[in-house]
Amino acid sequence: RRAARVDVARADLPRLLATTLASLGQKEDALAAFSDVVRLAPDDGEAWLSRGRLAASLGRHQEARESLERALAVRPGDTEILLELSGVRAKLGLGAESLSAAEELARTAPGDARAQARLGEAYAAVSRADEAITAFERALSLDPSLADPRAQLGKLSMERAVRLRAARDVAGAA
């Protein structure tokens, strides 16, 4: 325990530097500073999360994934980490992995509209439209002001209507 406290204390200055650089928009330098923080305090879940967010904002999604997975190992079930990790996995085209994180997020935070919206996005990415619609509807019932779930819900509902119409046309022609 004493070693962990020393590591965290040694990481205070690089953490302050990283946070300051990030707030100034100097993302590359902030990312490097957060790398120093996690080197000095490898069990600092918040630093891993911050590092992952910065890497994602720079389009470095694989690096972001690695940092966010490390953050999740340190802080299992953390909703902010799961939210970010699901999104990064989706950007990497890892639909099943994104869905796995989104499902865990939704179980962990069932009353969180963002969690339900992320779950809807993950279902949509793996072509599970009915489940996506349900998740988007749940997100909007929790927070009607969310624009993205509303747009996704509209898109999926229209696609469903087109599929149903096509199925009726095929059945009518037979």
Side-chain angles (χ1 to χ4, degrees), residues 61 65 82-99 101-102 118 121-123 125-126:
H61 300 297
R65 175 187 176 202
L82 287 166
L83 187 67
E84 296 291 333
L85 182 57
S86 177
V88 164
R89 286 175 173 172
K91 284 187 168 68
L92 288 168
L94 305 171
E97 288 186 31
S98 175
L99 179 57
R118 178 71 77 211
E121 292 167 2
Y123 278 136
V126 295

Side-chain angles (χ1 to χ4, degrees), residues 54 73 127 151 154 157-158:
L54 277 167
S127 302
S157 296
M158 287 178 56

Side-chain angles (χ1 to χ4, degrees), residues 38-119:
V38 297
R39 184 177 44 75
L40 293 168
D43 291 334
D44 187 337
E46 188 63 33
W48 283 111
L49 173 59
S50 296
R51 189 180 187 293
R53 283 177 169 156
L54 277 167
S57 74
L58 292 166
R60 292 158 57 174
H61 300 297
Q62 183 58 39
E63 186 176 347
R65 175 187 176 202
E66 292 164 5
S67 290
L68 293 167
E69 287 175 350
R70 188 70 186 265
L72 192 60
V74 173
R75 293 185 357 204
D78 185 289
T79 56
E80 290 300 314
I81 297 168
L82 287 166
L83 187 67
E84 296 291 333
L85 182 57
S86 177
V88 164
R89 286 175 173 172
K91 284 187 168 68
L92 288 168
L94 305 171
E97 288 186 31
S98 175
L99 179 57
S100 174
E103 288 174 330
E104 184 179 348
L105 173 62
R107 280 191 303 276
T108 304
D112 186 325
R114 297 174 311 149
Q116 296 303 319
R118 178 71 77 211
L119 182 60

Side-chain angles (χ1 to χ4, degrees), residues 143-167:
D143 185 352
S145 70
L146 293 176
D148 287 343
R150 185 172 314 286
Q152 290 294 327
L153 182 59
K155 177 183 173 206
L156 288 170
S157 296
M158 287 178 56
E159 289 172 358
R160 178 195 280 170
V162 168
R163 279 195 314 275
L164 290 173
R165 191 174 311 123

